[in-house]
Amino acid sequence: SSSSSSFPGGLGILGSFLRPAIGMMGSLLKDSQDDIQSVLSEAEKILTRSGRLGSRVECGPVFSQSYSSMNINGQQSTQVQLQFQVKGDQRSGTASCSASIGPDGVSFRSLSVDGQAIDTSGPSAGGSNVIDVER
Protein backbone atom coordinates (compact mmCIF):
# COMPACT_ATOMS: atom_id res chain seq x y z
CA SER A 1 0.00 0.00 0.00
CA SER A 2 2.99 2.33 0.40
CA SER A 3 3.89 1.69 -3.25
CA SER A 4 0.40 2.73 -4.42
CA SER A 5 0.59 6.02 -2.50
CA SER A 6 3.99 6.87 -4.05
CA PHE A 7 2.71 6.00 -7.56
CA PRO A 8 0.79 9.27 -8.18
CA GLY A 9 3.87 11.24 -7.14
CA GLY A 10 5.90 9.23 -9.65
CA LEU A 11 3.38 10.11 -12.35
CA GLY A 12 3.63 13.77 -11.36
CA ILE A 13 7.38 13.74 -11.93
CA LEU A 14 6.94 11.85 -15.22
CA GLY A 15 4.30 14.38 -16.28
CA SER A 16 6.64 17.28 -15.56
CA PHE A 17 9.16 15.69 -17.98
CA LEU A 18 6.59 14.73 -20.62
CA ARG A 19 4.75 18.07 -20.88
CA PRO A 20 7.68 20.01 -22.40
CA ALA A 21 8.55 17.06 -24.67
CA ILE A 22 4.97 16.84 -25.96
CA GLY A 23 4.91 20.62 -26.47
CA MET A 24 8.18 20.40 -28.40
CA MET A 25 6.80 17.56 -30.58
CA GLY A 26 3.75 19.68 -31.42
CA SER A 27 6.02 22.57 -32.38
CA LEU A 28 8.21 20.30 -34.55
CA LEU A 29 5.15 18.85 -36.31
CA LYS A 30 3.85 22.33 -37.06
CA ASP A 31 7.28 23.42 -38.34
CA SER A 32 7.52 20.35 -40.60
CA GLN A 33 4.03 21.02 -42.02
CA ASP A 34 4.98 24.66 -42.67
CA ASP A 35 8.20 23.55 -44.42
CA ILE A 36 6.33 20.99 -46.55
CA GLN A 37 3.79 23.70 -47.50
CA SER A 38 6.70 25.98 -48.51
CA VAL A 39 8.16 23.26 -50.76
CA LEU A 40 4.75 22.54 -52.35
CA SER A 41 4.15 26.25 -52.94
CA GLU A 42 7.57 26.69 -54.57
CA ALA A 43 7.06 23.51 -56.68
CA GLU A 44 3.71 24.88 -57.85
CA LYS A 45 5.40 28.10 -59.05
CA ILE A 46 8.14 26.19 -60.87
CA LEU A 47 5.67 23.76 -62.49
CA THR A 48 3.46 26.66 -63.58
CA ARG A 49 6.48 28.46 -65.06
CA SER A 50 7.56 25.27 -66.89
CA GLY A 51 4.23 25.12 -68.78
CA ARG A 52 4.37 21.29 -68.75
CA LEU A 53 0.94 20.93 -67.13
CA GLY A 54 -0.66 24.10 -68.47
CA SER A 55 -0.91 27.67 -67.29
CA ARG A 56 -2.49 26.84 -63.92
CA VAL A 57 -1.10 24.17 -61.59
CA GLU A 58 -2.24 22.86 -58.21
CA CYS A 59 -0.12 20.59 -56.00
CA GLY A 60 -1.45 18.02 -53.55
CA PRO A 61 -2.30 15.74 -51.94
CA VAL A 62 1.07 14.41 -50.72
CA PHE A 63 1.42 10.61 -51.07
CA SER A 64 4.78 10.21 -49.39
CA GLN A 65 7.10 12.46 -47.43
CA SER A 66 10.49 12.32 -45.78
CA TYR A 67 11.55 15.18 -43.53
CA SER A 68 14.71 15.85 -41.55
CA SER A 69 15.87 18.97 -39.82
CA MET A 70 19.17 19.75 -38.10
CA ASN A 71 20.42 22.71 -36.15
CA ILE A 72 24.21 22.85 -36.03
CA ASN A 73 25.75 25.86 -34.28
CA GLY A 74 22.59 27.87 -34.88
CA GLN A 75 22.44 27.04 -38.61
CA GLN A 76 19.12 25.37 -39.46
CA SER A 77 19.25 22.81 -42.28
CA THR A 78 16.11 21.02 -43.44
CA GLN A 79 15.75 18.29 -46.08
CA VAL A 80 12.38 17.41 -47.59
CA GLN A 81 11.48 14.66 -50.09
CA LEU A 82 7.91 14.54 -51.36
CA GLN A 83 5.75 12.63 -53.81
CA PHE A 84 2.49 14.37 -54.61
CA GLN A 85 -0.34 14.73 -57.10
CA VAL A 86 -0.17 17.66 -59.54
CA LYS A 87 -3.07 18.96 -61.61
CA GLY A 88 -2.77 21.45 -64.42
CA ASP A 89 -5.38 22.83 -66.78
CA GLN A 90 -3.89 20.66 -69.57
CA ARG A 91 -2.76 17.50 -67.79
CA SER A 92 -2.18 15.86 -64.41
CA GLY A 93 0.48 13.60 -62.99
CA THR A 94 2.60 12.53 -60.06
CA ALA A 95 5.47 14.75 -59.01
CA SER A 96 8.44 13.96 -56.83
CA CYS A 97 11.00 16.35 -55.45
CA SER A 98 13.97 16.64 -53.18
CA ALA A 99 14.54 20.04 -51.62
CA SER A 100 16.45 21.73 -48.84
CA ILE A 101 15.30 24.70 -46.84
CA GLY A 102 17.81 27.16 -45.45
CA PRO A 103 18.10 30.86 -44.66
CA ASP A 104 17.61 31.69 -48.37
CA GLY A 105 14.39 29.71 -48.67
CA VAL A 106 13.59 26.56 -50.65
CA SER A 107 16.25 25.09 -52.93
CA PHE A 108 15.39 22.10 -55.15
CA ARG A 109 17.91 19.35 -55.83
CA SER A 110 15.38 17.64 -58.11
CA LEU A 111 11.80 18.02 -59.28
CA SER A 112 10.10 15.70 -61.76
CA VAL A 113 6.63 14.95 -63.07
CA ASP A 114 5.89 11.37 -64.14
CA GLY A 115 9.65 10.71 -64.17
CA GLN A 116 10.53 13.70 -66.41
CA ALA A 117 12.90 16.22 -64.84
CA ILE A 118 11.72 19.82 -64.53
CA ASP A 119 14.23 22.69 -64.70
CA THR A 120 14.22 24.35 -61.27
CA SER A 121 16.64 27.15 -62.15
CA GLY A 122 15.38 30.59 -62.97
CA PRO A 123 13.40 33.13 -61.01
CA SER A 124 11.58 31.90 -57.93
CA ALA A 125 9.87 33.42 -54.93
CA GLY A 126 12.73 32.11 -52.77
CA GLY A 127 15.01 34.79 -54.25
CA SER A 128 15.23 37.87 -52.06
CA ASN A 129 15.08 40.35 -54.95
CA VAL A 130 12.17 38.82 -56.90
CA ILE A 131 8.76 40.47 -56.83
CA ASP A 132 5.81 38.50 -58.19
CA VAL A 133 3.09 40.66 -59.71
CA GLU A 134 -0.25 39.02 -60.51
CA ARG A 135 -2.48 40.62 -63.13
Side-chain angles (χ1 to χ4, degrees):
S1 107
S2 68
S3 66
S4 66
S5 65
S6 67
F7 191 67
L11 279 180
I13 291 170
L14 184 61
S16 68
F17 284 114
L18 284 178
R19 257 189 297 285
I22 290 170
M24 195 168 78
M25 285 296 290
S27 170
L28 289 173
L29 285 172
K30 184 185 179 323
D31 290 349
S32 71
Q33 288 306 308
D34 291 348
D35 287 341
I36 288 167
Q37 241 358 89
S38 296
V39 170
L40 284 174
S41 173
E42 206 59 32
E44 200 168 279
K45 290 176 187 147
I46 290 170
L47 291 168
T48 300
R49 191 175 65 232
S50 78
R52 291 260 183 109
L53 303 171
S55 58
R56 283 191 320 238
V57 176
E58 286 180 25
C59 293
V62 173
F63 302 134
S64 154
Q65 67 185 47
S66 169
Y67 178 90
S68 69
S69 185
M70 291 183 292
N71 190 325
I72 300 171
N73 296 331
Q75 290 286 5
Q76 189 74 23
S77 168
T78 302
Q79 310 297 318
V80 178
Q81 280 89 32
L82 299 174
Q83 285 187 309
F84 52 95
Q85 181 75 38
V86 286
K87 270 189 215 123
D89 52 8
Q90 292 178 14
R91 56 181 276 250
S92 301
T94 302
S96 61
C97 70
S98 176
S100 58
I101 302 171
D104 298 331
V106 177
S107 171
F108 284 91
R109 284 192 299 285
S110 66
L111 174 63
S112 63
V113 175
D114 296 331
Q116 293 185 325
I118 305 290
D119 180 13
T120 58
S121 62
S124 89
S128 55
N129 58 358
V130 174
I131 300 170
D132 277 342
V133 179
E134 302 223 358
R135 293 178 187 189

